[in-house]
Amino acid sequence: MRKADIYTSIIVMMGCAYIFYSALDLQYMLEDGVPGPGFLPIWISSLIFFCMLLQLILSLRKKAEPGGKSCFSKESVRNALVLIGSSAVAMLLSHLLGMLVCLGLLVGYLSWMLGMKNWKVDVALAICIPLIFWAVFSVFLEVQFIQGIFGF
Amino acid sequence: MEIVGNLLQGLSVALTPLHLLFCFIGVVAGMLIGALPGLGPSAGLAILLPITVSVGDPTAGIILMAGIYYGAMYGGSITSVLLGVPGDPASVMTVADGYPMAQQGRGGAALGMCAIGSFIGGTICVILFTILGPSLAKIALTFGPPEYFSLMVLGLTLVASFAEKTPIKAYTAALMGLFISTIGLDLVTGASRFTFNQPKLYEGIDFIVVALGLYGITEILLAMEDDALSFKFDKKALSWRKLLPTMQDWALTKWHILRSTFLGFTVGMLPGSGATICTFISYAYAKNAAPPERRALFGKGAIEGVTAPETANNAASVAAFVPLLTLGVPGSGSTAVMMGALLMFGLQPGPLLWENNPDFIWGLIGSMYVGNAMLLILSTVCIPIFVRMLEVPFPVLNSVVMSIIIVGGFSLGNNLFDVGMVLAFGLIGYCLRKMDYPAPPLILALVLGNTLENSLRQSLILSSGSMGIFFARPVSCILMVGALSSIAWIVYKAVRGARKDAAALTES
Amino acid sequence: MNKKCIQWLTAIIVVAMMGAFVAGCGGDKKAASYPTKSIEMVVPFAAGGGSDIMARSLVKVVMDKKLSSQPILISNKPGGSGSIGYAYTADKKGDPYVIATVSSSFYTAPLLGQSPVSYKDFTPICGFAMDTLLLVVREDSKYQNVKEIIADAKANPKSISVGGTSGTSDDAVMFFAFQERTGTEMKYVPFNSGGEVMTAILGGHVDMAWVNPGEALGQLEAKKARAIAVASKERLKEMQQVPTLTEQGVNLVLAQFRGIVGPKDISPEAVQYLGEVFKKASEQPDWTDGYLKKNSVEGRFMSAKEFGDSMAETTKMYEEFLTLAGKINKK
């Protein structure tokens, strides 16, 4: 936790410096003492910077925890990559294959990856879920999904 | 006594079989729309508007719409509690305690309490509305920019109630939320802020995008990692009676319900602020008001933490009709759609509606009573069905939830950019959660941020830059003094705490 | 099991692709005339807003009276003050199955550098209604006409507050142009929506505001607010008693046409077909009485050519006003 805190505060502080820098381009005050668009961002970035500085000092003063368990295990990184990564890939493919097809593939893949090793269930999900989405969103609620080369 | 007569007549309009049927259809359709993330009540109403108009008779049409509206308000809490995915902005706060309750196998009780709280809150507000009617408009009108600013400052001080364990991180999270709210085109000058020339960011980042990522995806990731978090079920405990809230739940929440009703009604009545803000205020307030041993449970499955925001959002949804029907000004997105519907039916919302179309007004008020009761019955009957959804094996459930989150993000603006943002916020939310940054302050600040900034600037334009405007007007002055004194209290407590820590350190 | 699973998946995908291919071929056959499939009508604002409800009402008339042989489907593409939806439509060059509705940010956003596409990237199809602005005060306001306002504003500069929606909307444009033409100085207070502006007037938080006639109608009828002037060329049909700005000695006219555009390079047949569909729709009583009258919008049908000319004129007008307001030079 200590290490993670130190890294995060440094990263966030760098982000704040960037926000502060780009907020300088915006007007800080309009005429007549009315705050301009830059007013809030400048204050917010300074305050976050200050908070993170405090956090950094506190974490540096704290001694490393004995047997310090990292809060990001290999497994948690892998989980995040599987879930977010596969969803992102599915969405990128949806212009090619159509959104419903991609959603079906995604649901099937995810449920298999998450531990449903019975492939019949996975395939059934991959087919049924898009059909339900189609019925609820496209027919009932008139949401237009992205269509792929198949025309749906 | 005239009111009683009017009301009886209104109820008789609402209780005709045809109108009951429309109310029923509306509530069911609304529950479905509300339960789906992304499409909230206002988008749902707009999409179903043509169907509503084709009903022909204005009273039946508006009863249908009102049904959809209440249903959607309640529907949002179903997915919030059971899946940890907020269905609409007003039920984001419900996730904080509802989802942990579902994980402990008490999802049914949480949903039941939501229904009861919503029913009581809704009914009290309808009664207030019936008695006070148009005179409520005066209260709504006293709120100008300075009053909004003072209210927002008071709301922001509530962040402190989430800042007990890791104060620095909680305040940082709140500041991050404020920063996200500044993204987009500036209201006053039209300058674009932090949009990286992406037109899709011009209108800012939708609140529900952040909530879907910060809650929905984060919950899935946490559950994937820790089997202990997945649902515990005792199959025998799934009998209908055991699913309902207990007397103890009721004893714990009854005062919170009353308080939240009042809060929801007053805040919900103000045009523009609406249901979302009051859920956060009432949650934080409930936490502050709870006895210390209960306060520690907030965020880990306290029944009060579910009931307070749910009561408030239903109270606010009734109160949102006040500006619409008395002033002819829509106070929220959903009431704006209803105003459109009223116009299509040939009714001009506004003060004259009470004189020109009393049948319609009292029919609508009657349907509010009926709709609230129907919601209570329907939801209690359906709770076992909803809860059984959780018996689905964990991988199947979570992969389906993920796809619902994606489709929900897509349906917000029909584009993939929002989906990408949801995924990004999911990743950010996961990191934040692992490092003990609480999510509620971020979301609270995000909700308040826009109004805070805009009302500050509007007030200062009006006063030509003088801060005195916040104290020159009575309502604003009271709110501001309240806000300042609660800030002083927070600082005092922090300083005292720091001193104690220092003393403890030197002693040891 | 794993291998078998992949085999199965492949099989399913192949079958699905074949099915789609067959279906796709069916659709690809050169059809006799436009339209052969449903038409997507892009509303570049969120569901539930004024533009959205107007579009949905119009499409409902088309569908109810079966004026089009194929369905027209509304799709909301909000964001970027309309620029997302317009960019999406403009991008569909030559595709007559995507059309979009026009509202004020169609003209202002490209001028302000907030949108990559301007009216030149579209094919005009038709115009169906005219929108303008009303100057509204609270019923008990001391102002009776524009002259009094100007006199007061000159006597007490920066004391009158005027509400409007955002700093770059047509209300704001009108405010700054008014200030410039009359040589006065007032305070402009931007709000988020027309509803908030109306509440601020009724609550006495601002002195006056420029609003769309439809937004003020309820208050005007209930005698909670008064209209002092209208910015159109002639008095409005529904509000004959409200004088125009020009009549009151301020030479300013702001009127814009709501209409429908398609992407560039679509066939003249499609333009003609759609134009006829919407022409018929705009003549239906369901539209004229059911929508226009109730929202106090002036109906005025324009052919593709007329609408094209008016788009150029409106852009010119906004360019002039925005320059007056100092919003363009600053960029």
Side-chain angles (χ1 to χ4, degrees):
Chain A
M1 183 72 109
R2 177 176 169 266
K3 240 187 190 164
D5 271 338
I6 294 174
Y7 289 134
T8 336
S9 28
I10 293 175
I11 294 171
V12 175
M13 276 160 75
M14 278 169 19
C16 287
Y18 172 76
I19 295 171
F20 188 88
Y21 173 75
S22 32
L24 287 177
D25 287 346
L26 301 162
Q27 281 171 289
Y28 179 70
M29 275 284 168
L30 305 174
E31 58 221 55
D32 294 334
V34 177
F39 180 84
L40 213 56
I42 283 182
W43 276 99
I44 294 172
S45 56
S46 321
L47 283 173
I48 301 184
F49 192 88
F50 173 75
C51 283
M52 285 289 97
L53 195 65
L54 216 64
Q55 180 68 49
L56 183 65
I57 295 170
L58 282 180
S59 332
L60 283 176
R61 274 172 52 181
K62 210 161 56 178
K63 296 199 185 81
E65 297 123 74
K69 223 175 72 192
S70 165
C71 56
F72 290 102
S73 62
K74 249 190 199 138
E75 201 205 354
S76 63
V77 175
R78 189 195 73 112
N79 283 341
L81 278 181
V82 166
L83 191 75
I84 310 255
S86 60
S87 312
V89 170
M91 289 304 103
L92 287 177
L93 283 177
S94 60
H95 276 292
L96 181 67
L97 299 177
M99 199 161 163
L100 288 172
V101 178
C102 284
L103 278 171
L105 293 176
L106 179 69
V107 173
Y109 172 75
L110 276 180
S111 102
W112 190 70
M113 279 308 282
L114 292 178
M116 174 48 77
K117 298 298 177 189
N118 183 345
W119 62 268
K120 280 181 204 148
V121 176
D122 296 336
V123 171
L125 274 179
I127 294 169
C128 295
I129 295 295
L131 282 177
I132 296 173
F133 279 146
W134 175 76
V136 172
F137 281 92
S138 301
V139 178
F140 178 54
L141 295 172
E142 296 175 20
V143 169
Q144 317 250 313
F145 285 120
I146 294 173
Q147 296 178 350
I149 44 170
F150 306 135
F152 57 81
Chain B
M1 276 307 101
E2 197 196 336
I3 289 176
V4 178
N6 282 335
L7 184 60
L8 284 178
Q9 198 227 331
L11 278 174
S12 70
V13 172
L15 284 174
T16 54
L18 185 70
H19 289 164
L20 271 179
L21 179 69
F22 276 126
C23 194
F24 177 77
I25 296 173
V27 168
V28 173
M31 271 169 135
L32 178 65
I33 291 169
L36 297 168
L39 287 178
S42 61
L45 282 170
I47 290 162
L48 299 179
L49 187 65
I51 304 172
T52 321
V53 174
S54 60
V55 169
D57 166 32
T59 316
I62 204 76
I63 286 177
L64 182 62
M65 292 205 96
I68 297 173
Y69 182 56
Y70 308 136
M73 279 301 197
Y74 179 76
S77 55
I78 301 172
T79 38
S80 294
V81 169
L82 295 181
L83 306 176
V85 179
D88 59 5
S91 55
V92 169
M93 209 56 247
T94 314
V95 180
D97 278 287
Y99 190 58
M101 279 190 77
Q103 285 171 333
Q104 292 153 18
R106 300 208 62 220
L111 280 177
M113 242 16 248
C114 284
I116 295 172
S118 297
F119 174 72
I120 298 175
T123 308
I124 294 179
C125 290
V126 179
I127 293 172
L128 282 176
F129 187 38
T130 318
I131 300 169
L132 299 172
S135 57
L136 283 171
K138 289 199 187 80
I139 306 173
L141 283 181
T142 55
F143 262 72
E147 284 80 12
Y148 276 109
F149 179 69
S150 307
L151 183 70
M152 294 302 119
V153 176
L154 188 61
L156 268 186
T157 61
L158 292 171
V159 167
S161 56
F162 300 103
E164 282 155 352
K165 240 172 67 194
T166 49
I168 298 179
K169 288 179 177 176
Y171 290 118
T172 308
L175 287 165
M176 286 176 179
L178 272 187
F179 170 69
I180 296 172
S181 79
T182 65
I183 294 174
L185 290 184
D186 173 39
L187 177 74
V188 178
T189 60
S192 76
R193 299 193 283 186
F194 314 107
T195 56
F196 306 102
N197 288 328
Q198 274 287 337
K200 282 174 181 128
L201 284 175
Y202 281 175
E203 249 138 66
I205 295 178
D206 197 303
F207 166 68
I208 203 77
V209 165
V210 181
L212 279 178
L214 241 46
Y215 282 106
I217 295 184
T218 305
E219 294 294 353
I220 297 181
L221 282 171
L222 288 175
M224 276 167 78
E225 183 169 313
D226 190 355
D227 284 336
L229 276 177
S230 50
F231 300 98
K232 292 182 195 73
F233 267 113
D234 185 3
K235 289 250 160 141
K236 282 173 211 146
L238 279 175
S239 73
W240 193 69
R241 272 207 57 89
K242 290 227 174 93
L243 281 172
L244 295 178
T246 57
M247 280 317 279
Q248 194 205 354
D249 290 333
W250 168 247
L252 279 170
T253 50
K254 57 187 177 203
W255 294 114
H256 292 291
I257 290 180
L258 273 183
R259 247 196 305 267
S260 303
T261 302
F262 177 73
L263 258 169
F265 191 66
T266 9
V267 177
M269 199 165 62
L270 306 174
S273 54
T276 313
I277 289 179
C278 75
T279 57
F280 285 88
I281 297 184
S282 70
Y283 180 84
Y285 195 64
K287 190 176 176 186
N288 274 338
E293 74 274 12
R294 296 292 307 170
R295 198 180 304 164
L297 277 178
F298 272 71
K300 298 192 194 85
I303 186 86
E304 302 97 309
V306 181
T307 322
E310 278 301 314
T311 309
N313 79 29
N314 226 51
S317 69
V318 174
F321 277 102
V322 171
L324 176 69
L325 295 178
T326 57
L327 298 170
V329 175
S332 62
S334 339
T335 43
V337 182
M338 285 200 226
M339 179 160 167
L342 288 180
L343 288 169
M344 282 185 192
F345 288 127
L347 297 166
Q348 178 71 54
L352 287 185
L353 200 56
W354 295 76
E355 290 162 32
N356 296 350
N357 304 79
D359 290 357
F360 167 78
I361 286 272
W362 288 104
L364 175 62
I365 291 180
S367 87
M368 288 181 185
Y369 286 99
V370 177
N372 266 315
M374 195 170 285
L375 204 59
L376 181 68
I377 298 166
L378 210 66
S379 48
T380 3
V381 173
C382 293
I383 284 171
I385 306 171
F386 293 142
V387 175
R388 285 204 179 247
M389 288 196 318
L390 299 181
E391 281 186 85
V392 174
F394 168 84
V396 176
L397 185 68
N398 274 356
S399 55
V400 173
V401 169
M402 189 65 205
S403 66
I404 294 178
I405 292 175
I406 290 177
V407 175
F410 179 81
S411 66
L412 279 173
N414 287 349
N415 66 53
L416 287 177
F417 187 79
D418 287 334
V419 181
M421 299 268 285
V422 170
L423 295 177
F425 274 106
L427 208 54
I428 296 173
Y430 181 56
C431 294
L432 290 181
R433 190 75 71 87
K434 291 236 84 176
M435 304 192 46
D436 275 346
Y437 285 82
L442 194 156
I443 303 229
L444 174 70
L446 177 61
V447 171
L448 300 180
N450 257 319
T451 321
L452 179 85
E453 186 183 15
N454 292 335
S455 59
L456 171 69
R457 294 164 78 183
Q458 286 157 357
S459 311
L460 290 178
I461 291 175
L462 284 170
S463 71
S464 304
S466 148
M467 289 294 224
I469 190 167
F470 300 115
F471 297 96
R473 302 157 55 131
V475 179
S476 164
C477 185
I478 295 169
L479 290 170
M480 207 50 166
V481 169
L484 292 179
S485 42
S486 74
I487 293 174
W489 174 242
I490 294 163
V491 173
Y492 167 74
K493 259 185 19 189
V495 170
R496 206 181 53 175
R499 269 207 198 133
K500 257 190 195 159
D501 284 356
L505 268 179
T506 46
E507 262 172 41
S508 68
Chain C
M1 190 61 110
N2 192 349
K3 212 171 170 186
K4 222 174 179 182
C5 167
I6 292 171
Q7 280 172 350
W8 263 95
L9 266 179
T10 331
I12 288 170
I13 291 173
V14 169
V15 170
M17 279 170 97
M18 273 163 64
F21 191 67
V22 173
C25 280
D28 258 354
K29 272 180 210 155
K30 269 273 168 253
S33 64
Y34 177 87
T36 53
K37 60 172 185 178
S38 61
I39 299 158
E40 179 182 8
M41 181 141 151
V42 175
V43 175
F45 299 94
S51 300
D52 179 57
I53 290 182
M54 189 188 252
R56 281 177 197 275
S57 315
L58 185 64
V59 168
K60 185 175 177 288
V61 175
V62 173
M63 303 308 288
D64 280 357
K65 304 282 171 197
K66 301 199 171 50
L67 300 174
S68 165
S69 57
Q70 292 286 338
I72 300 178
L73 302 172
I74 300 266
S75 101
N76 297 93
K77 297 220 180 283
S81 356
S83 58
I84 303 286
Y86 292 129
Y88 170 86
T89 312
D91 201 40
K92 298 276 170 183
K93 241 178 179 185
D95 180 357
Y97 293 98
V98 182
I99 54 179
T101 58
V102 169
S103 58
S104 70
S105 69
F106 178 79
Y107 305 107
T108 53
L111 292 170
L112 292 161
Q114 291 170 354
S115 171
V117 289
S118 75
Y119 74 98
K120 289 182 186 131
D121 300 301
F122 296 92
T123 312
I125 290 172
C126 65
F128 54 82
M130 189 197 75
D131 231 4
T132 184
L133 291 168
L134 279 180
L135 183 59
V136 174
V137 296
R138 201 155 90 142
E139 184 65 22
D140 57 5
S141 163
K142 58 183 171 176
Y143 307 113
Q144 297 299 330
N145 55 47
V146 173
K147 283 206 181 79
E148 287 176 24
I149 296 173
I150 297 173
D152 192 32
K154 280 194 172 148
N156 308 298
K158 289 199 173 176
S159 64
I160 301 178
S161 54
V162 185
T165 47
S166 95
T168 50
S169 61
D170 42 348
D171 326 356
V173 167
M174 192 63 210
F175 167 83
F176 289 111
F178 182 84
Q179 202 170 247
E180 193 65 33
R181 283 281 156 83
T182 55
T184 51
E185 265 193 289
M186 294 180 270
K187 296 186 283 195
Y188 180 70
V189 190
F191 289 87
N192 268 318
S193 68
E196 285 178 35
V197 175
M198 224 40 236
T199 331
I201 294 184
L202 296 177
H205 306 296
V206 294
D207 297 318
M208 60 189 75
W210 289 100
V211 296
N212 289 114
E215 285 165 350
L217 196 67
Q219 276 69 33
L220 296 178
E221 277 180 356
K223 300 242 177 292
K224 296 271 175 191
R226 266 187 295 128
I228 287 196
V230 59
S232 56
K233 212 172 201 167
E234 290 141 25
R235 293 189 179 199
L236 294 180
K237 265 184 247 154
E238 307 287 331
M239 297 181 198
Q240 276 298 327
Q241 72 289 0
V242 182
T244 64
L245 265 185
T246 337
E247 284 173 51
Q248 303 190 56
V250 183
N251 187 20
L252 264 183
V253 175
L254 186 141
Q256 47 163 352
F257 288 91
R258 301 274 182 158
I260 291 167
V261 290
K264 229 177 157 50
D265 301 332
I266 60 175
S267 66
E269 293 86 59
V271 173
Q272 199 187 347
Y273 180 85
L274 288 169
E276 263 165 36
V277 166
F278 288 113
K279 186 171 191 333
K280 277 183 217 145
S282 69
E283 285 158 1
Q284 301 293 328
D286 280 5
W287 172 249
T288 52
D289 296 341
Y291 181 84
L292 292 175
K293 218 170 164 186
K294 276 161 197 156
N295 289 279
S296 11
V297 177
E298 294 251 310
R300 203 167 300 173
F301 190 82
M302 285 177 135
S303 68
K305 192 176 172 313
E306 288 171 304
F307 187 52
D309 294 344
S310 102
M311 286 190 341
E313 272 169 41
T314 315
T315 303
K316 231 174 90 194
M317 171 194 82
Y318 272 120
E319 198 167 3
E320 190 192 323
F321 279 9
L322 284 167
T323 320
L324 272 181
K327 295 274 177 196
I328 290 187
N329 290 344
K330 254 188 211 165
K331 282 275 154 192

